[in-house]
DNA sequence: CGATTTTGACCCGCGC
DNA sequence: GCGCGGGTCAAAATCG
């Protein structure tokens, strides 16, 4: 409950017209916040509302006092009226009569105002619940918006040229990957369900292909060369991929980002290299929901809150949770869909910035640092920054990743989610997972751009790796 | 009184 | 084998 109220930081609040009301000085008088927590302000919205109401309807501690004040005013009016009557008629008897009438009115008004107060408390509570709900929705929607804006910004002419050039290069490189395999990879990688930040793989493919896919889940995955091992392969890879993580960085003074789910804290540790503790939460919306998240404040910038999600929800999600879940799902799909060379391969070709920095997709960072691959959505930076790239980090190395791939897949996924309907793909926003998987698979594989983007990504990696190796050897 | 948080203990994998 | 760090467990404390 408190989680929902303390969940959104200033950045998120500032963009919300509803929450902007909370920034209103009238509603938030000086000193209304606690420790600068904007969500405390949110709570103070109601506190302040109560205060303003107090002035108007005499709520809270001021009820009796203000009520008495109003009643006295009325009484004095009545009394003055009575006095004039009394002067005309029976002075003493009239005074007693009007005092009784005045007391009756006083009691009646008291009852009336108390009833109104009760009604307003109910209304206040209802509004508070509504605001919490809207906060949750807003939080998730903003994440969607930022994601989509980043992707659209990245759709430059340069990218298209890069795709075309890379596709041609791919033909020149030869049959490292047949088009069939590439499409098959798309099929495999698309096997991601809504509300699920994991995916499954395990179809038969060439050894090179296996190396790439296995590399996605770090270099610990045993390699399976025969079809007889496929089931085991699938299970192993799947279980590891299930550990894929989506990390969200957002500026917030709150102790946790609200995502619409219900979490229970089960541990807290001091992480190495950070003065701030790391809190561990598990989802309590399902009886045995395996989804966990870690919340930690950034050591370098304490205003940044890092939330890392892991696992899949095994229960229906509330509407408030869907934006966040679908965003993390899309991010995870990007992570799990990348044509990732194996960690060994990357280490063998140890080099930084294999690929040229040429894109503005600046919010996502991929990390295959052991033990589990992680994608980080950075919502703390401005949209027009072009300094940051879609990167893949290995142990001690940062290798720029061909953004076009993740972009393409994410677009596909967004299309499927109905978030990006301008490209002619229509899909329901809410579907059951089974249908979601099949529909996403169909949507992804049906679009030739996906294949082209994938080919471009693979070709880029191969081409740049080869180029880098030769330059390293020459050096 | 049930739900949640706190916190020390424990387990496990990894590197030396 | 040992120490370290990340992650989890579970009893006690706290909250609503």
């Amino acid at each position: 409950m408190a989680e929902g109220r303390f969940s959104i930081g200033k950045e998120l609040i500032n963009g919300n017209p509803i929450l902007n009301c909370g920034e209103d000085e009238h509603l938030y008088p000086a000193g209304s916040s606690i420790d600068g927590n904007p969500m405390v302000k949110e709570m103070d919205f109601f506190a302040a509302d109560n205060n303003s109401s107090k002035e108007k309807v005499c709520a809270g501690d001021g009820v009796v006092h203000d009520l008495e004040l109003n009643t006295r005013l009325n009484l004095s009016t009545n009394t003055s009226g009575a006095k004039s009557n009394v002067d005309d008629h029976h002075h003493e008897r009239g005074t007693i009569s009007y005092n009784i009438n005045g007391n009756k009115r006083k009691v009646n008004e008291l009852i009336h105002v108390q009833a109104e107060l009760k009604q307003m408390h109910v209304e206040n509570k209802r509004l508070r619940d509504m605001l919490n709900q809207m906060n949750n929705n807003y939080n998730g929607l903003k994440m969607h918006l930022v994601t989509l804006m980043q992707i659209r910004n990245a759709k430059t002419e340069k990218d298209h040229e890069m795709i075309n050039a890379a596709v041609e290069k791919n033909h020149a490189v030869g049959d490292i990957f047949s088009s069939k395999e590439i499409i098959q990879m798309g099929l495999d990688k698309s096997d991601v369900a809504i509300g699920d930040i994991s995916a499954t793989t395990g179809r038969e493919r060439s050894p090179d292909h296996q190396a790439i896919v296995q590399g996605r889940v770090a270099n610990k995955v045993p390699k399976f060369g025969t079809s007889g091992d496929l089931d085991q392969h699938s299970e192993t890879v799947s279980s590891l991929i299930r550990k894929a993580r989506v990390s969200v960085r957002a500026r917030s003074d709150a102790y946790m980002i609200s995502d619409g789910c219900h979490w229970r804290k089960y541990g807290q540790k001091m992480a190495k290299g950070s003065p701030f503790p790391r809190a561990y939460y598990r989802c309590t919306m399902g009886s045995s929901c395996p989804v966990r998240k870690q919340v930690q404040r950034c050591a370098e910038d304490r205003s940044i809150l890092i939330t890392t999600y892991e696992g899949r929800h095994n229960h229906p999600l509330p509407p408030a949770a869907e934006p966040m879940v679908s965003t993390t799902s899309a991010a995870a799909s990007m992570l799990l869909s990348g044509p990732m060379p194996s960690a060994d391969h990357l280490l063998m070709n140890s080099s930084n910035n294999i690929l040229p920095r040429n894109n503005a997709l600046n919010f996502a960072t991929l990390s295959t640092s052991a033990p589990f691959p992680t994608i980080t959505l950075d919502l703390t930076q401005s949209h027009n920054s072009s300094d940051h790239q879609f990167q893949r980090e290995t142990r001690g190395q940062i290798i720029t990743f061909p953004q076009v791939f993740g972009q393409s897949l994410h677009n596909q996924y967004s299309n499927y989610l109905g978030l990006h309907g301008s490209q002619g793909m229509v899909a329901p926003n809410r579907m059951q997972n089974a249908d979601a998987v099949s529909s996403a698979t169909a949507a992804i594989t049906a679009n030739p751009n996906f294949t082209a983007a994938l080919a471009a990504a693979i070709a880029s990696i191969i081409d740049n790796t080869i180029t880098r190796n030769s330059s390293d050897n020459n050096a």
Side-chain angles (χ1 to χ4, degrees):
Chain A
M1 191 175 119
E3 167 183 327
R5 265 185 242 166
F6 288 88
S7 55
I8 301 176
K10 285 176 183 172
E11 300 281 314
L12 301 183
I13 286 177
N14 286 339
N16 188 341
I18 297 169
L19 292 175
N20 273 340
C21 295
E23 298 292 321
D24 191 314
E25 286 184 7
H26 174 68
L27 295 175
Y28 289 135
S32 64
S33 65
I34 300 173
D35 295 336
N37 188 332
M39 295 314 291
V40 175
K41 282 185 177 180
E42 180 189 325
M43 292 184 69
D44 282 350
F45 173 86
F46 297 100
D49 193 34
N50 280 340
N51 288 336
S52 65
S53 298
K54 180 169 64 183
E55 294 168 5
K56 296 172 184 174
V57 299
C58 318
D61 188 39
V63 168
V64 174
H65 175 75
D66 289 346
L67 195 59
E68 283 178 347
L69 183 62
N70 288 340
T71 308
R72 281 173 188 161
L73 286 171
N74 289 336
L75 278 174
S76 74
T77 303
N78 290 336
T79 305
S80 67
K83 275 182 181 176
S84 65
N85 289 334
V86 167
D87 289 342
D88 290 339
H89 303 289
H90 308 287
H91 181 83
E92 189 176 351
R93 186 179 167 189
T95 302
I96 294 171
S97 167
Y98 283 104
N99 279 345
I100 292 172
N101 288 339
N103 284 337
K104 278 185 179 177
R105 283 200 195 93
K106 188 177 176 181
V107 170
N108 285 339
E109 285 187 17
L110 183 62
I111 292 171
H112 180 68
V113 171
Q114 281 178 338
E116 278 189 351
L117 263 179
K118 209 169 185 177
Q119 201 170 350
M120 291 191 74
H121 277 305
V122 172
E123 180 72 5
N124 194 20
K125 186 177 183 305
R126 193 178 66 83
L127 289 170
R128 190 181 305 165
D129 291 341
M130 279 177 63
L131 184 60
N132 283 338
Q133 181 70 28
M134 281 191 245
N135 273 335
N136 289 335
N137 291 341
Y138 167 72
N139 194 17
L141 285 172
K142 171 153 185 172
M143 288 191 162
H144 266 314
L145 181 62
V146 170
T147 301
L148 292 174
M149 286 177 69
Q150 296 287 357
I151 290 169
R152 289 200 173 189
N153 288 341
K155 282 184 171 180
T156 61
E157 191 66 28
K158 201 171 181 178
D159 290 335
H160 292 297
E161 289 174 5
M162 182 177 162
I163 291 173
N164 293 334
V167 168
E168 288 177 9
K169 282 180 187 173
N170 190 39
H171 289 303
V173 166
D175 333 319
I176 296 177
F177 298 101
S178 69
S179 58
K180 182 182 175 183
E181 283 175 317
I182 289 173
I183 294 171
Q184 186 64 56
M185 283 179 72
L187 278 168
D188 290 343
K189 314 298 170 40
S190 68
D191 197 7
V192 181
I194 288 182
D196 181 5
I197 62 172
S198 64
T200 58
T201 61
R203 290 178 174 83
E204 187 172 12
R205 53 181 69 94
S206 68
D208 287 341
H209 190 162
Q210 283 184 10
I212 288 175
V213 172
Q214 287 159 3
R216 286 188 339 210
V217 288
N219 55 351
K220 298 174 191 171
V221 182
K223 296 184 178 181
F224 303 89
T226 65
S227 59
D229 296 325
L230 285 179
D231 288 343
Q232 185 188 351
H233 177 200
S234 179
E235 283 181 17
T236 307
V237 173
S238 179
S239 65
L240 281 168
I241 289 177
R242 198 166 290 131
K243 293 288 186 181
R245 294 174 177 177
V246 176
S247 184
V248 178
R249 289 165 55 93
R251 289 195 187 279
S252 174
D253 291 332
Y255 69 94
M256 191 160 77
I257 290 176
S258 173
D259 46 28
C261 286
H262 201 197
W263 303 94
R264 178 176 177 176
K265 191 176 184 179
Y266 66 89
Q268 179 168 305
K269 291 275 283 191
M270 290 303 297
K272 187 189 174 188
S274 173
F276 306 107
R278 175 185 299 155
Y280 299 91
Y281 297 85
R282 62 164 54 103
C283 178
T284 58
M285 296 194 80
S287 57
S288 58
C289 181
V291 174
R292 312 213 162 167
K293 77 172 180 182
Q294 299 175 8
V295 179
Q296 185 173 25
R297 200 155 284 285
C298 180
E300 289 77 22
D301 185 351
R302 62 184 304 160
S303 69
I304 296 175
L305 197 65
I306 303 171
T307 306
T308 305
Y309 297 89
E310 173 188 320
R312 67 158 63 169
H313 292 282
N314 62 359
H315 52 83
L317 292 163
E322 287 182 6
M324 172 67 87
V325 169
S326 59
T327 298
T328 54
S329 295
S333 73
M334 292 165 66
L335 166 64
L336 297 173
S337 302
M340 182 188 292
S342 71
D344 289 341
H345 181 73
L346 290 174
L347 288 171
M348 280 168 54
N349 299 284
S350 58
S351 56
N352 292 336
N353 300 322
I354 284 179
L355 298 173
R357 293 178 169 235
N358 60 355
N359 207 298
L361 195 60
N362 65 348
F363 73 105
T365 301
L366 293 180
S367 171
T368 55
S369 300
F372 308 115
T374 302
I375 184 167
T376 300
L377 302 180
D378 193 344
L379 306 182
T380 65
Q381 299 165 27
S382 61
H383 298 168
N384 55 2
S385 167
S386 58
D387 234 359
H388 299 78
Q389 300 294 315
F390 208 107
Q391 295 175 332
R392 166 159 297 133
E393 179 184 353
T394 64
R395 299 170 193 271
Q397 303 170 3
I398 294 181
I399 299 171
T400 306
F401 181 70
Q403 305 90 322
V404 63
F405 179 86
Q407 171 194 333
S408 174
L409 185 82
H410 188 86
N411 284 348
Q412 299 289 339
Y413 201 82
S414 297
N415 281 338
Y416 161 68
L417 292 174
L419 299 171
H420 215 256
S422 62
Q423 293 181 5
M425 288 190 166
V426 180
N429 285 331
R430 298 176 188 176
M431 300 175 69
Q432 295 301 318
N433 284 356
D435 291 337
V437 173
S438 58
S439 298
T441 301
I444 288 170
T445 54
N447 192 331
N449 289 336
F450 172 77
T451 304
L454 180 58
I458 295 169
S460 296
I461 286 181
I462 295 169
D463 184 55
N464 285 280
T465 301
I466 292 171
T467 303
R468 187 71 184 203
N469 279 341
S470 65
S471 65
D472 286 344
N473 290 337
N474 293 336

